[in-house]
Amino acid sequence: MTSYVLGVDLGGTQIRACLWKVEAGMEQQAKKPTQARQGPSRVLKRIKLAVREVLAGLAPEDLLAIGIASPGPLDPQSGIILSPANLPGWDRVPLREIMVKEFHAPVYVNNDANLACLAEHRFGHGQGASDLVYLTISTGIGGGVVCGGQLLMGAHGLAAEPGHMIVDADGPRCGCGSIGCLEALSSGTAIARQAGEWIREGQDSLLASPTYSGKELTAQIVAEAALKGDALAQRLISRAAYYLGIGVLNLIHIFDPQMVILGGGVSKIGSPLFDPVQLWVREHALTPAQRETPILPAKLGDDVGLFGAVAWALDNAKA
Amino acid sequence: MTSYVLGVDLGGTQIRACLWKVEAGMEQQAKKPTQARQGPSRVLKRIKLAVREVLAGLAPEDLLAIGIASPGPLDPQSGIILSPANLPGWDRVPLREIMVKEFHAPVYVNNDANLACLAEHRFGHGQGASDLVYLTISTGIGGGVVCGGQLLMGAHGLAAEPGHMIVDADGPRCGCGSIGCLEALSSGTAIARQAGEWIREGQDSLLASPTYSGKELTAQIVAEAALKGDALAQRLISRAAYYLGIGVLNLIHIFDPQMVILGGGVSKIGSPLFDPVQLWVREHALTPAQRETPILPAKLGDDVGLFGAVAWALDNAKA
C-alpha cells in the first residue's frame, strides 16, 4: 500500500489541489478559478473537480487524509466555514462534511494563515524551529504561531489573530470596529488609505502626479514611488514599518520564537519594510537572545496555502 | 516506595518550601525571610535551610524532583538566575546546579509568573482548560500562558512577557526603555505615578488631602480613595482598567483561551478593575465565543508560587 494525502488551497481567486505521496512529495496538481462571486454551490463544485482531477486513478484506500486551507473565520473542529469576507454568500458552510461525503476520506480544515505558518514550519525557513511566529501582510494582516513544535489553535480554533492586536490606543479605526489594530496601521489597505489622506491634504508626491492619477492607490504603487525616491511614499512605508516593528516586538515578547517570518503581498516591499522592523527589535527587545531574533521573508510564495494544507493533512493523518 | 516532590517559592520577601506527596498533597511547609539585601550567598543558605526543614526524615530515593519558582529573568534550561530586580547582587547564579549538588535530586527552575499560571491551571480556576492566559499585576505586570495544555516556554524559556506588550505607541516610557508597554499603563507603579502627576498638576482629590499627604502613594491607597468616591482616584482606576482591557483583548485574539485569570496585588481592586475589562472584551472581541471569555480573579493567593513550583516538579518528574 502506498500512502497519499491531498491538499486543497481555497483562495479568493484560485482553487488549487495537489496529491502528495507520503515520504516523497507532490505528484499531481490542479488549478481552477474560484469565481467566488458565483456563490458557494458553484465554488464547491469546482473544489470537487480539482480534487477529482488530482485523485485520478488513486485507489481509495491509499488516500489517508484531505487537508484544506480556507479563508477564515471558520471552525477547525467541525470544519464549518463561517462567513469569510472573500467568499461572498458563504455562511456556515459545512465544508468538512461535504468533502467527507464526496471523497470518503478524513478531511481536516484550517484557516489559510495558520496553515501558511505550518507550511513555513515544515517546508520553509522554519524547519526544525520549536517556536515560530508567522505574519501575512496583504489587504489585511493574519498570522499563525508554532509553539513547542505545535500549531497554536486556541480553545475554539480561533487563535493567532495578530492583525487585531491593538498597538496604538489612539490609532485609527480598524475594519473590525476596534481602534489602533496592527491591521489598521500596517496592512496594504492601511498604507493605501493613509496615502490617500496625505494626498488629499495636498502633500507633495509623485503619487499625486499625472503618472499615478486615475490609478487605484495600492501598497505596491506606494512602494514603487518610494523606490523612485518619493519622500511621501517613503514616509508611508516607514510608518507601516514602525507599527509593524511594534507588533513584531510584542509577539517576540509574548512567544519568544526562534524567528519571525513575514509573508503576503506587502512583505514583497522587502528591505524598506524589513530593515526598520529588525532595527526596532534589536533596539527594544528585553533580552540579548530576543534582540537577535531573525525577521525573515516567507519562502514558499504562492504555494504556501497548498503546502500548509498538505502539512495539516499529514499531521492529522499521523495523529 | 512513596513518591514526593518538593516545591520552593523564592520571593522577594519570603522563601517558602513544601513537601508534596504525589497523588495526595502538601505534607510539610517551611518559611524563611528572604532578606534579599544580604545578597545571594545568605539567601541561598536560607533556601537550603527551608528545604532541609521540610525534607526532614525523607529517604533520598523517595524524592522525585525539586521545583523552584524564582523571580526572572532566568534560564529555565540551565536553571541559571540572571539578575532579577528584587534579588540584589544576583548575577548568573547557577541555582539549579547548586541545589542538585546539595540535595542530589533533579531540580527544575522556572520564573514565578509562568509557574503562577501553571498553578492556576492545575489547582485553581484553570483546571481542565486547554488554553489559559494568566496576568499578575503588581509593581510590574508579568504573566504566563498555557496553550494546548502545555506551559508556553518559548525558544529560550523567555516566553510570556505580556507586561511589555506595547498597547499605546504614544504612551509613557516604560522601565524597560520602550514606550507604551502595558506595564507602564496598568501596573501598580503606573497607577501611583499617574496619581502623583495629576496631584502635582493641582487636580482636586482626597489623595491630595492631609489624610494621605506624607503617605507614599500606592495603587492600594488609590483604590481606597476610589471606594470613598474620590473622582480622581476613580479616573486613575478606570484608566488602568482601560489599558488592561486592551491588553487582555489582544491576548484573547492571540491565544483564544478558555479564560483569562488576573492575579497580583493590583487585581485585589476587584470589580472597579475587572468590570471595565470584561465589558471591553464583550464589546470588542472578534467572535461571539471570544466575547464571552471569562475574566477571573486568581484563586490561589499567596500560595500561587509554591503550588506552581510543585506543579512544575510534578510535570518534569513525569516527563
Side-chain angles (χ1 to χ4, degrees), chain A residues 258-269:
Chain A
Q258 268 111 345
M259 68 193 70
V260 176
I261 296 177
L262 306 181
V266 175
S267 73
K268 291 179 185 156
I269 292 174

Side-chain angles (χ1 to χ4, degrees), chain B residues 231-262:
Chain B
L232 183 118
Q234 287 170 349
R235 270 203 294 138
L236 285 164
I237 304 293
S238 297
R239 179 179 178 276
Y242 170 70
Y243 290 106
L244 186 59
I246 290 178
V248 165
L249 182 68
N250 285 354
L251 294 166
I252 288 173
H253 286 155
I254 289 168
F255 288 107
D256 180 30
Q258 268 110 346
M259 69 193 69
V260 176
I261 296 178
L262 306 181

Side-chain angles (χ1 to χ4, degrees), chain A:
Chain A
M1 180 180 146
T2 323
S3 298
Y4 290 85
V5 299
L6 199 143
V8 177
D9 180 22
L10 168 53
T13 54
Q14 230 178 23
I15 296 161
R16 300 174 66 194
C18 79
L19 190 66
W20 184 281
K21 192 171 177 178
V22 174
E23 314 284 344
M26 199 178 294
E27 293 212 334
Q28 300 290 332
Q29 243 199 97
K31 286 181 199 180
K32 306 277 167 211
T34 309
Q35 296 182 287
R37 286 188 190 167
Q38 295 181 358
S41 66
R42 297 281 191 95
V43 172
L44 286 166
K45 213 169 174 176
R46 281 189 286 274
I47 295 175
K48 291 175 192 171
L49 269 177
V51 169
R52 246 178 255 127
E53 204 175 309
V54 296
L55 271 183
L58 190 75
E61 65 271 22
D62 288 348
L63 183 63
L64 295 179
I66 298 176
I68 306 180
S70 162
L74 56 82
D75 177 347
Q77 263 117 44
S78 64
I80 291 173
I81 312 301
L82 304 174
S83 49
N86 46 359
L87 291 178
W90 289 56
D91 183 21
R92 303 192 57 79
V93 173
L95 182 59
R96 180 183 194 156
E97 201 187 307
I98 291 167
M99 295 293 282
V100 167
K101 262 190 198 154
E102 188 77 17
F103 297 106
H104 311 286
V107 173
Y108 304 98
V109 179
N110 207 329
N111 85 58
D112 42 16
N114 276 352
L115 292 191
C117 175
L118 194 65
E120 286 288 340
H121 184 247
R122 285 321 139 71
F123 306 112
H125 288 306
Q127 287 176 67
S130 62
D131 298 82
L132 159 66
V133 168
Y134 171 86
L135 293 184
T136 170
I137 313 159
S138 55
T139 49
I141 294 183
V145 181
V146 167
C147 30
Q150 296 296 314
L151 189 63
L152 177 69
M153 294 291 292
H156 319 90
L158 299 165
E161 287 291 354
H164 298 286
M165 172 168 54
I166 296 171
V167 294
D168 185 359
D170 298 313
R173 189 159 291 278
C174 180
C176 77
S178 216
I179 37 88
C181 294
L182 185 57
E183 178 165 305
L185 290 156
S186 300
S187 66
T189 312
I191 294 171
R193 191 189 50 220
Q194 189 65 53
E197 271 182 35
W198 283 352
I199 288 167
R200 277 192 301 280
E201 284 171 8
Q203 297 200 33
D204 188 39
S205 167
L206 273 180
L207 297 169
S209 74
T211 321
Y212 291 104
S213 75
K215 279 197 198 175
E216 196 198 350
L217 268 176
T218 61
Q220 183 57 37
I221 285 178
V222 171
E224 270 176 43
L227 271 182
K228 288 180 188 156
D230 183 65
L232 184 117
Q234 288 171 347
R235 271 203 293 137
L236 285 163
I237 304 293
S238 297
R239 179 179 178 275
Y242 170 70
Y243 290 105
L244 186 60
I246 290 178
V248 165
L249 182 69
N250 285 354
L251 294 166
I252 288 173
H253 287 154
I254 289 169
F255 288 106
D256 180 29
Q258 268 111 345
M259 68 193 70
V260 176
I261 296 177
L262 306 181
V266 175
S267 73
K268 291 179 185 156
I269 292 174
S271 315
L273 196 73
F274 280 71
D275 292 353
V277 172
Q278 187 82 64
L279 189 65
W280 179 267
V281 168
R282 195 161 288 149
E283 288 180 347
H284 291 87
L286 289 171
T287 60
Q290 292 172 318
R291 271 170 230 142
E292 299 307 319
T293 312
I295 318 294
L296 303 172
K299 192 177 173 184
L300 300 172
D302 294 340
D303 290 330
V304 74
L306 202 56
F307 277 109
V310 165
W312 191 232
L314 287 170
D315 277 15
N316 281 285
K318 277 181 211 160

Side-chain angles (χ1 to χ4, degrees), chain B residues 75-88:
Chain B
D75 177 347
Q77 263 118 42
S78 63
I80 291 173
I81 312 301
L82 303 175
S83 49
N86 47 359
L87 291 178

